[in-house]
């Protein structure tokens, strides 16, 4: 049986509670058993699970909830608030020096994705805080670590200071002097990772810390290590006093163990979360938003932030006007595909939208390369065909030529035509809605999804239905 994610299990437990007009102690105990099992299966630290259950139960058993209106929904709020508390209450940003150089030291075990996380952090600082960044390559033990950082730096246009495989302390000292001379705002030091925590490793890191006097010591932790991540954090924190953690390889919300254990066990706040291979797949860790995602409540604020970063406002407005005036064409559809691609995968976008949680799993089956295939079909059209979709609709010869030119079947082109048609129909439907219907749509966006029609089967198994 496939492993069920923390998110799915918790949502299932919560659904049994919501909608009930009355709850008793037995109902709460039943839900707590489900929640406890969900957390333990997600590899959350046992002590964290114990205190989590205790806090939720104390709150949920209060008279205000048991005798109040919608007790089930109030219990969901209690679970949400406790998830938020365990992960750190609020987002914590980076601490910069008001004047002069800001130094960030990164630490972590080998294989935790530290060097890649440095690249993502550097891009984030340059893009978000508009600062000039320098990488210092001080990982002199892992083969090709310096080359990896140089490759990442080159791809991002961020300079890498390196002096080969000499003593890390010398590299850091010289790198900081170089950064000051060349008026850099931020330095990110890549230190050596190890397969395990040892005395020699710690001493070198303590020495580097003494030389760099960093504003931030960020520990990269692989989210897939579950509760072990919290113990690793504690070991580093006890000797180096880390200021924050970067949770790497966080695949949506399917791995909750590390996220829910780190802060509570080690005391280190999670500052950033990294998911996906792309360099911009990096975001500030918001405990409240993560709690909402885990419980399937969506994360509209992060979606808005991603949309603001990825979509040009004038371009979006122009596209909306074209949709409303029914002049939306294949050129506009291509622009739309590029916008979605900049925001991330379809399943990730759906995960941010309240009420779309059940569609997220289906969307994860969607190969995002479909956008590239659709793009190839649009590129195979003439300029006139891209501007006037009716030319394709009215000519089977044109359809065959376009499909052949893209190396695909006419059926693929027909799917693209349906996609364009669906966009127009959706806009017409929204334009005909009154204020009450629009308000209802805002609460449940899945209402805009096309409904699958059903058709009775014939012959064998005729009592069943199939999707048309």
């Amino acid at each position: 049986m496939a492993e069920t994610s923390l998110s799915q299990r918790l949502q299932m437990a919560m659904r049994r509670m919501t909608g009930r007009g009355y709850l008793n102690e037995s109902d709460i105990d039943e839900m707590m058993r489900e929640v406890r099992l969900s957390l333990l299966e997600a590899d959350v630290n046992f002590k964290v699970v114990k205190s989590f259950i205790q806090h939720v139960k104390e709150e949920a058993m209060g008279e205000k909830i048991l005798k109040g209106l919608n007790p089930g929904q109030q219990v969901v709020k209690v679970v949400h608030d406790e998830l938020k508390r365990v992960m750190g209450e609020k987002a914590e940003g980076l601490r910069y020096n008001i004047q002069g150089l800001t130094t960030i030291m990164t630490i972590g075990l080998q294989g935790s994705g530290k060097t890649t996380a440095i690249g993502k952090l550097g891009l984030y600082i340059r893009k978000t805080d508009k600062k000039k960044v320098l990488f210092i390559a001080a990982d002199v033990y892992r083969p090709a670590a310096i080359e990896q950082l140089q490759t990442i730096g080159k791809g991002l246009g961020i300079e890498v200071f390196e002096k080969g495989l000499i003593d890390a302390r010398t590299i850091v000292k010289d790198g900081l002097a170089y950064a000051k001379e060349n008026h850099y705002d931020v330095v990110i030091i890549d230190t050596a990772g190890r397969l395990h925590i040892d005395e020699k490793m710690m001493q070198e890191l303590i020495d580097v810390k003494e030389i760099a006097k960093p504003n931030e010591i960020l520990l990269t932790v692989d989210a897939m290590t579950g509760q072990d991540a919290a113990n690793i954090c504690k070991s580093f924190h006890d000797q180096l006093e880390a200021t924050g953690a970067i949770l790497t390889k966080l695949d949506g919300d399917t791995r909750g163990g590390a996220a829910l254990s780190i802060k509570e066990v080690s005391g280190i706040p999670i500052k950033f979360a990294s998911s996906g291979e792309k360099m911009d797949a990096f975001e500030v860790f918001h405990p409240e938003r993560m709690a909402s995602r885990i419980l399937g409540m969506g994360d509209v604020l992060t979606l808005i932030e991603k949309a603001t970063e990825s979509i040009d406002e004038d371009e979006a407005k122009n596209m909306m006007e074209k949709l409303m005036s029914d002049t939306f064409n294949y050129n506009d559809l291509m622009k739309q595909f590029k916008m979605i691609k900049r925001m991330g995968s379809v399943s990730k976008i759906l995960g941010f939208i309240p009420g779309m949680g059940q569609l997220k799993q289906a969307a994860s089956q969607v190969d995002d390369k479909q956008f590239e295939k659709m793009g190839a079909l649009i590129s195979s059209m003439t300029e006139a065909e891209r501007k006037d979709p009716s030319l394709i609709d009215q000519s089977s010869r044109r359809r065959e030529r376009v499909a052949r030119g893209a190396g695909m079947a006419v059926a693929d082109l027909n799917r693209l035509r349906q996609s364009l048609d669906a966009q127009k129909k959706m806009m017409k439907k929204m334009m005909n809605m009154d204020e009450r219907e629009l308000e209802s749509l805002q609460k449940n966006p899945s209402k805009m999804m096309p409904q699958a029609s059903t058709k009775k089967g014939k012959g064998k198994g005729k009592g069943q239905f199939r999707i048309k």
Side-chain angles (χ1 to χ4, degrees), residues 7 17-19 24 62 65 80 111 125 131 135 147 170 176 207 246 268 278 335 361 400 416-417 433 456:
S7 179
M17 293 294 110
T18 52
N24 57 34
I65 287 179
H80 176 272
I125 290 170
K131 293 186 183 290
F135 295 150
E147 287 89 339
T170 306
L176 290 169
D207 292 346
I246 299 174
I268 302 174
K278 291 182 181 176
K335 284 179 191 172
Q361 196 173 358
E400 284 170 12
L416 177 67
R417 290 166 60 210
M433 282 182 176
K456 243 183 189 178

Side-chain angles (χ1 to χ4, degrees), residues 80 252-253 283-307 343 348-357 360:
H80 176 272
D253 49 40
E283 59 190 35
V284 173
F285 185 83
H286 292 270
E288 185 169 7
R289 298 183 192 181
M290 181 55 76
S292 294
R293 277 192 236 176
I294 289 172
L295 292 178
M297 296 173 180
D299 181 1
V300 175
L301 287 173
T302 300
L303 180 63
I304 291 166
E305 283 170 11
K306 284 189 174 292
M343 284 177 69
K348 193 171 182 181
I349 293 166
L350 282 177
F352 293 132
I353 303 173
M356 301 295 255
K360 188 181 172 185

Side-chain angles (χ1 to χ4, degrees), residues 226-265:
Q227 66 171 303
D228 281 348
N231 300 324
I232 292 162
C233 285
K234 194 170 187 320
S235 302
F236 274 100
H237 189 47
D238 288 346
Q239 297 178 69
L240 288 160
E241 295 178 355
T243 58
I246 299 174
L247 202 54
T248 64
K249 306 175 192 175
L250 186 70
D251 182 17
D253 49 40
T254 57
R255 301 273 178 178
L260 290 173
S261 302
I262 288 174
K263 177 73 168 67
E264 194 85 336
V265 173

Side-chain angles (χ1 to χ4, degrees), residues 415-438:
R415 276 192 286 273
L416 177 67
R417 290 166 60 210
Q418 285 165 8
S419 178
L420 184 74
D421 194 42
Q423 293 271 15
K424 291 181 178 181
K425 281 180 181 173
M426 199 179 285
M427 184 49 67
K428 278 179 187 171
K429 190 176 177 181
M430 283 179 72
M431 284 172 72
N432 291 324
M433 282 182 176
D434 59 28
E435 201 172 318
R436 195 187 61 200
E437 286 171 318
L438 285 168

